[in-house]
Amino acid sequence: MIEEASKSGKVTVEKRQLFMEMRAQNFDVIRLSTYRTACKLRFVQKRCNLHLVDVWNMIEAFRDNGLSTLDHNAEINVSRLETILSSIFYQLNKRLPTTHQINVEQSIGLLLNFMVATYDSEGHGKLTVFAMKSMLATMCGGKIVDKLRYIFSQISDSSGTMVFPKFDQFLREVLKLPTAVFEGPSFGYTEHSVRTCFPQQKKILLNTFLDIMMADPPPQCLVWLPLMHRLANVENVFHPVECSYCRSESMMGFRYRCQQCHGYQLCQNCFWRGHANGPHSNQHQMKEHSSWKSPAKKLSHAISKSLGCVPIGEPPHPVYPEASERPQDLAHPTQLKPVSNNMNDTVFVSSGAPTPTTSTTLESPSRLDEEHRLIARYAARLAAEASNSSQCPPTDLSFNFDANKQQRQLIAELENKNREILQEIQRLRLEHEQASQPTPEKAQQNPTLLAELRLLRHRKDELEKRMSALQESRRELMVQLEGLMRLLKAPTGGSPHSSPSHSASCTMPMPIRSTSAGSTPTHTPQDCLAGVSDDVLDAFSQGVPRNLRNDLLVAADSITNTMSSLVKELHSVDDGLEDEEVNMRNGREKVSAQRHYGNRHSTPSF
């Protein structure tokens, strides 16, 4: 309930906003009700951005939202109406450039509230399909003749004749628009509105309907409709003429010229408000001009008209086939296929007949025969003219036809060859890519390549293990060298059984060097001399400490030789595992010989 109340309040606010903006335009000062109504509806059209939606886009939106299959008296709720309006405006934004995008949500809200206020005054929350179509088709942009053609397709029967009850229903719906902008007393619906539009005609076809609706003047109840379209056409028209009342040096929009006062012209604002001065009176007949012509153009036009070069009475609309605006029979939709460029909401043509481009009805056999006969007459006339002309004999005409046919055949053959060449290029590219990328399947098919891959992988694993062992040996040698340096720096004075280190709690873990690559060094941090070489232990095992100088020299030589062998190993890893084992064995023997030599020639220091 709270949500519905807030939504209702929002609708009321937006409705008031639209009418408050319209009241701020001060349209009520316009003297004539026809101009006043047209200006108000034009303001609503522009404020809701309906002038940007063409009537053809509106018909397409009706078809896309499934309104073509619904009965005219069917009702739709406000939520579905909002969905339809959303599709219309979002499609409009896709067609517009990025610099001219509209506020879709605001346009939907304003138009939805205006339609609900116009056609659902009792608050049922529903609108009829015919009312929505009539309103949107009338208020959207586009040519008035296209709108009237669409409206006639909705109110005519299968024979292309207007149905008076449907036209009466159309007047009921469309005349609610002037009532919504407070012009109901002038253009409200009455029971005699239909007969005032068609007082004598019994059978109304399309061209008759257009003649009456676009006549000058049109029917009194719909006189505001063509005026609204003329307003849209002259909004940016410039007249380089001075207004006789306000003395403005230029006019925009309509220009009015008095038929009695010579040279007396008024701008649209002065005429709409009933301004007059001098000998001119509001009772004088005024002629409305929607464009400006210079005196020279007027003179040339008058001369051409007098000489018969220009037709005196031009028709207000083109003449359409009378049978082309009939509504469709949807009793058997499976036998028909839709056509999107026609007037009605859903236009279908039989699957066996060719699809028309401008017709909006099912093509009957008699209609097709008439078209064929017309085409045959035109062809015969062209052939006769060609035969009478010396510049273009029939042989040349047939030769041109044959040449065009040969050119088309040649173009078709070249296109086929081009297509085949492109396919062959694509196939060769795929084969090249597959050949350049080796796959596991190919390796399995080649045993030699597979064996080489296994040997390389085994060799790689062995080298990695050997590298790890050498790195571990290097680290152990560095640890031993650090321990020996600490022993060298320690004072030698003290008790005979004291450690070279003053702190009994100082431990120096010495890892025992491993001779195998896979062994793990173990640490025995039991005392300061743990992990030290045998020569050092022998030196401290005597009652009197020995001179460690020779021992340190021996250890330094051993470390130097081992480091040199390590560098050699690092540079000759790829030479093979056998050479590496031989070098390491020679290095160990040399270190052992140097240790034994040092032990024999060293003397204890007292």
CSV table of all heavy atoms in Angstrom, one decimal, residues 353-400:
chain,number,residue,atom,x,y,z
A,353,ALA,N,3.4,-15.9,-53.5
A,353,ALA,CA,3.5,-14.7,-54.3
A,353,ALA,C,4.7,-13.9,-53.9
A,353,ALA,O,5.2,-14.0,-52.8
A,353,ALA,CB,2.2,-13.9,-54.0
A,354,PRO,N,5.2,-13.1,-54.8
A,354,PRO,CA,6.3,-12.2,-54.5
A,354,PRO,C,5.9,-11.2,-53.5
A,354,PRO,O,4.8,-10.7,-53.4
A,354,PRO,CB,6.6,-11.6,-55.9
A,354,PRO,CG,5.4,-11.6,-56.7
A,354,PRO,CD,4.7,-12.9,-56.2
A,355,THR,N,6.9,-10.8,-52.7
A,355,THR,CA,6.7,-9.9,-51.6
A,355,THR,C,6.6,-8.4,-52.1
A,355,THR,O,7.6,-8.0,-52.8
A,355,THR,CB,7.8,-9.9,-50.6
A,355,THR,OG1,7.9,-11.3,-50.1
A,355,THR,CG2,7.6,-9.0,-49.4
A,356,PRO,N,5.6,-7.7,-51.9
A,356,PRO,CA,5.5,-6.3,-52.4
A,356,PRO,C,6.3,-5.4,-51.6
A,356,PRO,O,6.6,-5.7,-50.4
A,356,PRO,CB,4.0,-6.0,-52.3
A,356,PRO,CG,3.5,-6.8,-51.1
A,356,PRO,CD,4.3,-8.1,-51.2
A,357,THR,N,6.7,-4.3,-52.2
A,357,THR,CA,7.5,-3.3,-51.5
A,357,THR,C,6.7,-2.1,-51.0
A,357,THR,O,7.1,-1.5,-50.0
A,357,THR,CB,8.7,-2.8,-52.4
A,357,THR,OG1,8.1,-2.3,-53.6
A,357,THR,CG2,9.6,-3.9,-52.8
A,358,THR,N,5.6,-1.8,-51.6
A,358,THR,CA,4.8,-0.6,-51.2
A,358,THR,C,3.4,-1.0,-50.9
A,358,THR,O,2.7,-0.2,-50.2
A,358,THR,CB,4.8,0.5,-52.3
A,358,THR,OG1,4.3,-0.1,-53.5
A,358,THR,CG2,6.2,1.0,-52.6
A,359,SER,N,2.9,-2.1,-51.4
A,359,SER,CA,1.5,-2.4,-51.1
A,359,SER,C,1.4,-2.9,-49.7
A,359,SER,O,2.3,-3.5,-49.1
A,359,SER,CB,1.1,-3.5,-52.1
A,359,SER,OG,-0.2,-4.0,-51.8
A,360,THR,N,0.2,-2.8,-49.1
A,360,THR,CA,0.0,-3.1,-47.8
A,360,THR,C,-1.1,-4.2,-47.6
A,360,THR,O,-1.7,-4.4,-46.6
A,360,THR,CB,-0.4,-1.9,-47.0
A,360,THR,OG1,-1.6,-1.4,-47.5
A,360,THR,CG2,0.7,-0.9,-47.0
A,361,THR,N,-1.5,-4.9,-48.7
A,361,THR,CA,-2.5,-5.8,-48.7
A,361,THR,C,-2.1,-7.1,-49.4
A,361,THR,O,-1.0,-7.2,-50.0
A,361,THR,CB,-3.8,-5.3,-49.4
A,361,THR,OG1,-3.5,-5.0,-50.7
A,361,THR,CG2,-4.3,-4.0,-48.7
A,362,LEU,N,-2.9,-8.1,-49.2
A,362,LEU,CA,-2.7,-9.3,-50.0
A,362,LEU,C,-3.0,-9.1,-51.5
A,362,LEU,O,-4.0,-8.6,-51.8
A,362,LEU,CB,-3.6,-10.5,-49.4
A,362,LEU,CG,-3.3,-10.9,-48.0
A,362,LEU,CD1,-4.4,-11.9,-47.6
A,362,LEU,CD2,-2.0,-11.5,-47.9
A,363,GLU,N,-2.1,-9.5,-52.3
A,363,GLU,CA,-2.2,-9.3,-53.7
A,363,GLU,C,-3.2,-10.3,-54.3
A,363,GLU,O,-2.8,-11.5,-54.3
A,363,GLU,CB,-0.9,-9.3,-54.4
A,363,GLU,CG,0.1,-8.2,-54.0
A,363,GLU,CD,-0.3,-6.9,-54.5
A,363,GLU,OE1,-1.3,-6.8,-55.2
A,363,GLU,OE2,0.3,-5.9,-54.0
A,364,SER,N,-4.3,-9.9,-54.8
A,364,SER,CA,-5.2,-10.8,-55.4
A,364,SER,C,-4.8,-11.1,-56.8
A,364,SER,O,-4.0,-10.4,-57.4
A,364,SER,CB,-6.6,-10.2,-55.4
A,364,SER,OG,-6.6,-9.0,-56.1
A,365,PRO,N,-5.3,-12.2,-57.4
A,365,PRO,CA,-4.9,-12.6,-58.8
A,365,PRO,C,-5.3,-11.5,-59.8
A,365,PRO,O,-4.6,-11.2,-60.7
A,365,PRO,CB,-5.6,-13.9,-59.1
A,365,PRO,CG,-5.8,-14.5,-57.7
A,365,PRO,CD,-6.0,-13.3,-56.8
A,366,SER,N,-6.5,-10.9,-59.6
A,366,SER,CA,-6.9,-9.8,-60.5
A,366,SER,C,-6.0,-8.6,-60.4
A,366,SER,O,-5.6,-8.0,-61.4
A,366,SER,CB,-8.4,-9.4,-60.2
A,366,SER,OG,-8.4,-8.9,-58.9
A,367,ARG,N,-5.6,-8.3,-59.2
A,367,ARG,CA,-4.6,-7.2,-59.0
A,367,ARG,C,-3.3,-7.5,-59.7
A,367,ARG,O,-2.7,-6.6,-60.4
A,367,ARG,CB,-4.4,-7.0,-57.5
A,367,ARG,CG,-3.5,-5.9,-57.1
A,367,ARG,CD,-4.1,-4.5,-57.4
A,367,ARG,NE,-3.2,-3.5,-57.1
A,367,ARG,CZ,-3.4,-2.2,-57.4
A,367,ARG,NH1,-4.5,-1.9,-58.1
A,367,ARG,NH2,-2.5,-1.3,-57.1
A,368,LEU,N,-2.8,-8.7,-59.6
A,368,LEU,CA,-1.5,-9.0,-60.2
A,368,LEU,C,-1.7,-9.0,-61.8
A,368,LEU,O,-0.8,-8.5,-62.5
A,368,LEU,CB,-1.1,-10.4,-59.8
A,368,LEU,CG,-0.7,-10.5,-58.3
A,368,LEU,CD1,-0.3,-12.0,-58.0
A,368,LEU,CD2,0.5,-9.6,-58.0
A,369,ASP,N,-2.8,-9.4,-62.3
A,369,ASP,CA,-3.1,-9.4,-63.7
A,369,ASP,C,-3.1,-7.9,-64.2
A,369,ASP,O,-2.5,-7.6,-65.3
A,369,ASP,CB,-4.4,-10.1,-64.0
A,369,ASP,CG,-4.3,-11.6,-63.8
A,369,ASP,OD1,-3.2,-12.1,-63.7
A,369,ASP,OD2,-5.4,-12.2,-63.6
A,370,GLU,N,-3.7,-7.1,-63.4
A,370,GLU,CA,-3.7,-5.7,-63.8
A,370,GLU,C,-2.3,-5.1,-63.9
A,370,GLU,O,-2.0,-4.3,-64.8
A,370,GLU,CB,-4.6,-4.9,-62.9
A,370,GLU,CG,-6.1,-5.2,-63.0
A,370,GLU,CD,-6.9,-4.4,-62.0
A,370,GLU,OE1,-6.3,-3.6,-61.2
A,370,GLU,OE2,-8.1,-4.6,-61.9
A,371,GLU,N,-1.5,-5.4,-62.9
A,371,GLU,CA,-0.1,-4.9,-62.9
A,371,GLU,C,0.6,-5.5,-64.1
A,371,GLU,O,1.4,-4.8,-64.7
A,371,GLU,CB,0.6,-5.3,-61.6
A,371,GLU,CG,0.0,-4.5,-60.4
A,371,GLU,CD,0.8,-4.9,-59.1
A,371,GLU,OE1,1.7,-5.7,-59.2
A,371,GLU,OE2,0.5,-4.3,-58.1
A,372,HIS,N,0.4,-6.8,-64.4
A,372,HIS,CA,1.1,-7.3,-65.5
A,372,HIS,C,0.7,-6.7,-66.8
A,372,HIS,O,1.6,-6.4,-67.7
A,372,HIS,CB,0.9,-8.8,-65.6
A,372,HIS,CG,1.5,-9.6,-64.4
A,372,HIS,ND1,1.1,-10.9,-64.1
A,372,HIS,CD2,2.4,-9.2,-63.5
A,372,HIS,CE1,1.8,-11.3,-63.0
A,372,HIS,NE2,2.6,-10.3,-62.7
A,373,ARG,N,-0.6,-6.4,-67.0
A,373,ARG,CA,-1.0,-5.7,-68.2
A,373,ARG,C,-0.4,-4.3,-68.3
A,373,ARG,O,-0.1,-3.8,-69.4
A,373,ARG,CB,-2.6,-5.7,-68.2
A,373,ARG,CG,-3.2,-7.0,-68.5
A,373,ARG,CD,-4.7,-6.8,-68.9
A,373,ARG,NE,-5.4,-6.3,-67.8
A,373,ARG,CZ,-6.1,-7.1,-66.9
A,373,ARG,NH1,-6.0,-8.4,-67.0
A,373,ARG,NH2,-6.8,-6.5,-65.9
A,374,LEU,N,-0.4,-3.6,-67.1
A,374,LEU,CA,0.2,-2.3,-67.1
A,374,LEU,C,1.7,-2.3,-67.5
A,374,LEU,O,2.2,-1.5,-68.3
A,374,LEU,CB,0.0,-1.7,-65.7
A,374,LEU,CG,0.5,-0.2,-65.6
A,374,LEU,CD1,-0.3,0.7,-66.5
A,374,LEU,CD2,0.4,0.2,-64.1
A,375,ILE,N,2.4,-3.3,-67.0
A,375,ILE,CA,3.8,-3.4,-67.3
A,375,ILE,C,4.0,-3.8,-68.8
A,375,ILE,O,4.9,-3.2,-69.5
A,375,ILE,CB,4.5,-4.5,-66.4
A,375,ILE,CG1,4.5,-4.0,-65.0
A,375,ILE,CG2,5.9,-4.8,-66.9
A,375,ILE,CD1,5.0,-5.1,-64.0
A,376,ALA,N,3.1,-4.6,-69.3
A,376,ALA,CA,3.2,-4.9,-70.7
A,376,ALA,C,2.9,-3.7,-71.6
A,376,ALA,O,3.6,-3.5,-72.7
A,376,ALA,CB,2.2,-6.1,-71.1
A,377,ARG,N,2.0,-2.9,-71.2
A,377,ARG,CA,1.7,-1.7,-72.0
A,377,ARG,C,2.9,-0.7,-72.0
A,377,ARG,O,3.3,-0.2,-73.0
A,377,ARG,CB,0.4,-1.0,-71.5
A,377,ARG,CG,-0.9,-1.7,-71.8
A,377,ARG,CD,-2.0,-0.7,-71.6
A,377,ARG,NE,-2.2,-0.2,-70.3
A,377,ARG,CZ,-2.9,-0.8,-69.3
A,377,ARG,NH1,-3.5,-1.9,-69.6
A,377,ARG,NH2,-2.9,-0.2,-68.1
A,378,TYR,N,3.5,-0.5,-70.8
A,378,TYR,CA,4.7,0.3,-70.8
A,378,TYR,C,5.8,-0.3,-71.6
A,378,TYR,O,6.5,0.5,-72.3
A,378,TYR,CB,5.1,0.5,-69.3
A,378,TYR,CG,4.3,1.5,-68.5
A,378,TYR,CD1,3.8,1.2,-67.3
A,378,TYR,CD2,4.1,2.7,-69.0
A,378,TYR,CE1,3.0,2.1,-66.6
A,378,TYR,CE2,3.3,3.7,-68.3
A,378,TYR,CZ,2.8,3.3,-67.1
A,378,TYR,OH,2.0,4.2,-66.4
A,379,ALA,N,6.0,-1.6,-71.6
A,379,ALA,CA,7.0,-2.2,-72.4
A,379,ALA,C,6.8,-2.0,-73.9
A,379,ALA,O,7.7,-1.7,-74.7
A,379,ALA,CB,7.2,-3.7,-72.0
A,380,ALA,N,5.5,-2.2,-74.2
A,380,ALA,CA,5.2,-1.9,-75.7
A,380,ALA,C,5.4,-0.5,-76.1
A,380,ALA,O,5.9,-0.2,-77.2
A,380,ALA,CB,3.7,-2.4,-75.9
A,381,ARG,N,5.1,0.4,-75.2
A,381,ARG,CA,5.3,1.8,-75.5
A,381,ARG,C,6.8,2.1,-75.7
A,381,ARG,O,7.2,2.8,-76.6
A,381,ARG,CB,4.7,2.7,-74.4
A,381,ARG,CG,4.8,4.2,-74.7
A,381,ARG,CD,4.2,5.0,-73.6
A,381,ARG,NE,2.7,4.7,-73.5
A,381,ARG,CZ,2.0,5.2,-72.5
A,381,ARG,NH1,2.5,6.0,-71.6
A,381,ARG,NH2,0.7,4.9,-72.4
A,382,LEU,N,7.6,1.6,-74.8
A,382,LEU,CA,9.0,1.8,-74.8
A,382,LEU,C,9.6,1.2,-76.1
A,382,LEU,O,10.5,1.8,-76.8
A,382,LEU,CB,9.7,1.2,-73.6
A,382,LEU,CG,9.5,2.0,-72.3
A,382,LEU,CD1,10.1,1.2,-71.1
A,382,LEU,CD2,10.0,3.4,-72.3
A,383,ALA,N,9.1,0.0,-76.5
A,383,ALA,CA,9.6,-0.6,-77.7
A,383,ALA,C,9.2,0.2,-78.9
A,383,ALA,O,10.0,0.3,-79.9
A,383,ALA,CB,9.0,-2.0,-77.8
A,384,ALA,N,8.0,0.8,-78.9
A,384,ALA,CA,7.6,1.6,-80.0
A,384,ALA,C,8.4,2.9,-80.2
A,384,ALA,O,8.9,3.2,-81.3
A,384,ALA,CB,6.1,2.0,-79.9
A,385,GLU,N,8.7,3.5,-79.0
A,385,GLU,CA,9.5,4.7,-79.0
A,385,GLU,C,10.9,4.4,-79.5
A,385,GLU,O,11.6,5.1,-80.2
A,385,GLU,CB,9.5,5.3,-77.7
A,385,GLU,CG,8.2,5.9,-77.2
A,385,GLU,CD,8.3,6.5,-75.8
A,385,GLU,OE1,9.3,6.4,-75.2
A,385,GLU,OE2,7.3,7.1,-75.4
A,386,ALA,N,11.4,3.2,-79.1
A,386,ALA,CA,12.8,2.8,-79.5
A,386,ALA,C,12.9,2.5,-81.0
A,386,ALA,O,13.9,2.8,-81.6
A,386,ALA,CB,13.3,1.6,-78.7
A,387,SER,N,11.8,1.9,-81.5
A,387,SER,CA,11.8,1.6,-82.9
A,387,SER,C,11.7,2.9,-83.8
A,387,SER,O,12.2,2.9,-84.9
A,387,SER,CB,10.6,0.7,-83.3
A,387,SER,OG,9.4,1.3,-83.0
A,388,ASN,N,11.0,3.9,-83.3
A,388,ASN,CA,10.8,5.1,-84.0
A,388,ASN,C,12.1,6.0,-84.0
A,388,ASN,O,12.2,6.9,-84.7
A,388,ASN,CB,9.6,5.9,-83.6
A,388,ASN,CG,8.3,5.2,-83.8
A,388,ASN,OD1,8.2,4.4,-84.8
A,388,ASN,ND2,7.3,5.4,-83.0
A,389,SER,N,12.9,5.8,-83.0
A,389,SER,CA,14.1,6.6,-82.8
A,389,SER,C,15.2,6.1,-83.6
A,389,SER,O,15.5,4.9,-83.6
A,389,SER,CB,14.5,6.6,-81.3
A,389,SER,OG,15.7,7.4,-81.2
A,390,SER,N,15.9,7.0,-84.4
A,390,SER,CA,17.0,6.5,-85.2
A,390,SER,C,18.3,6.3,-84.4
A,390,SER,O,19.2,5.7,-84.9
A,390,SER,CB,17.3,7.6,-86.3
A,390,SER,OG,17.6,8.8,-85.7
A,391,GLN,N,18.3,7.0,-83.2
A,391,GLN,CA,19.6,6.9,-82.4
A,391,GLN,C,19.7,5.6,-81.7
A,391,GLN,O,20.7,5.2,-81.3
A,391,GLN,CB,19.6,8.1,-81.4
A,391,GLN,CG,19.7,9.4,-82.1
A,391,GLN,CD,19.7,10.5,-81.1
A,391,GLN,OE1,19.6,10.3,-79.9
A,391,GLN,NE2,19.8,11.8,-81.6
A,392,CYS,N,18.5,5.0,-81.4
A,392,CYS,CA,18.6,3.7,-80.7
A,392,CYS,C,17.7,2.7,-81.3
A,392,CYS,O,16.5,2.6,-81.0
A,392,CYS,CB,18.1,4.0,-79.2
A,392,CYS,SG,18.2,2.6,-78.2
A,393,PRO,N,18.1,2.0,-82.3
A,393,PRO,CA,17.3,1.0,-83.0
A,393,PRO,C,17.1,-0.2,-82.1
A,393,PRO,O,17.8,-0.4,-81.1
A,393,PRO,CB,18.2,0.6,-84.3
A,393,PRO,CG,19.6,1.0,-83.8
A,393,PRO,CD,19.5,2.2,-82.9
A,394,PRO,N,16.2,-1.1,-82.5
A,394,PRO,CA,15.9,-2.3,-81.7
A,394,PRO,C,17.1,-3.2,-81.6
A,394,PRO,O,17.3,-3.8,-80.6
A,394,PRO,CB,14.7,-2.9,-82.4
A,394,PRO,CG,14.1,-1.9,-83.2
A,394,PRO,CD,15.2,-0.9,-83.6
A,395,THR,N,17.9,-3.3,-82.6
A,395,THR,CA,19.1,-4.1,-82.6
A,395,THR,C,20.0,-3.7,-81.5
A,395,THR,O,20.6,-4.5,-80.7
A,395,THR,CB,19.8,-4.2,-83.9
A,395,THR,OG1,20.1,-2.8,-84.3
A,395,THR,CG2,18.8,-4.8,-85.0
A,396,ASP,N,20.2,-2.4,-81.4
A,396,ASP,CA,21.1,-1.8,-80.3
A,396,ASP,C,20.5,-2.2,-78.9
A,396,ASP,O,21.2,-2.5,-78.0
A,396,ASP,CB,21.2,-0.3,-80.5
A,396,ASP,CG,22.0,0.0,-81.8
A,396,ASP,OD1,22.6,-0.9,-82.3
A,396,ASP,OD2,21.9,1.2,-82.2
A,397,LEU,N,19.2,-2.0,-78.8
A,397,LEU,CA,18.6,-2.3,-77.5
A,397,LEU,C,18.8,-3.8,-77.1
A,397,LEU,O,19.1,-4.1,-76.0
A,397,LEU,CB,17.1,-2.0,-77.6
A,397,LEU,CG,16.3,-2.1,-76.3
A,397,LEU,CD1,16.8,-1.1,-75.3
A,397,LEU,CD2,14.8,-1.9,-76.6
A,398,SER,N,18.5,-4.7,-78.1
A,398,SER,CA,18.8,-6.1,-77.8
A,398,SER,C,20.2,-6.4,-77.5
A,398,SER,O,20.6,-7.2,-76.6
A,398,SER,CB,18.3,-7.0,-78.9
A,398,SER,OG,19.0,-6.7,-80.1
A,399,PHE,N,21.1,-5.6,-78.3
A,399,PHE,CA,22.5,-5.8,-78.0
A,399,PHE,C,22.9,-5.4,-76.6
A,399,PHE,O,23.7,-6.0,-75.9
A,399,PHE,CB,23.3,-5.1,-79.1
A,399,PHE,CG,24.8,-5.1,-78.8
A,399,PHE,CD1,25.5,-6.2,-79.1
A,399,PHE,CD2,25.5,-4.0,-78.3
A,399,PHE,CE1,26.9,-6.3,-78.9
A,399,PHE,CE2,26.8,-4.0,-78.0
A,399,PHE,CZ,27.5,-5.2,-78.4
A,400,ASN,N,22.3,-4.3,-76.2
A,400,ASN,CA,22.6,-3.8,-74.8
A,400,ASN,C,22.1,-4.8,-73.8
A,400,ASN,O,22.8,-5.1,-72.8
A,400,ASN,CB,21.9,-2.4,-74.6
A,400,ASN,CG,22.6,-1.3,-75.4
A,400,ASN,OD1,23.7,-1.4,-75.8
A,400,ASN,ND2,21.8,-0.3,-75.7
